[in-house]
Amino acid sequence: MFFLARLIDILVTIYMWMIVIRAVLSWVSPYPRIPIAGLLFRLTDPFLEKIRQFLPMPRMAVDLSPVIAILILMVIRYVVIAALV
């Protein structure tokens, strides 16, 4: 069980870093110049789009979905790891 908990921890941490990098790339917008940017957007957009459905985006000037996504992933990581260990 420890191996499974550690694997989930690593995967969730990698996904959180992918969301952070995606957020930074969205600020500087070098999509065509960095080939990995397209991959990051394809991997993180489904999760972020689900969160954006619940946010009042027309009234918000800043996209808070990456922050909320990271908070959700942190909660999931701690709950799952606590249940497995």
Side-chain angles (χ1 to χ4, degrees):
M1 287 305 230
F2 178 75
F3 173 75
L4 183 60
R6 185 67 182 140
L7 180 65
I8 291 171
D9 182 39
I10 290 170
L11 292 176
V12 170
T13 301
I14 289 171
Y15 198 70
M16 284 193 304
W17 277 108
M18 288 170 55
I19 290 173
V20 169
I21 293 168
R22 181 208 188 283
V24 171
L25 286 176
S26 71
W27 296 336
V28 295
S29 119
Y31 310 146
R33 290 180 277 157
I34 299 177
I36 199 162
L39 176 65
L40 283 174
F41 277 74
R42 283 192 306 270
L43 291 174
T44 57
D45 270 348
F47 186 53
L48 294 177
E49 287 298 324
K50 293 289 183 187
I51 295 170
R52 287 183 189 126
Q53 291 175 357
F54 298 104
L55 295 176
M57 291 305 287
R59 292 180 269 154
M60 296 176 57
V62 177
D63 183 17
L64 295 177
S65 62
V67 175
I68 295 170
I70 290 172
L71 290 173
I72 291 170
L73 288 171
M74 289 173 68
V75 168
I76 289 171
R77 181 174 63 181
Y78 291 124
V79 168
V80 169
I81 290 173
L84 289 175
V85 175

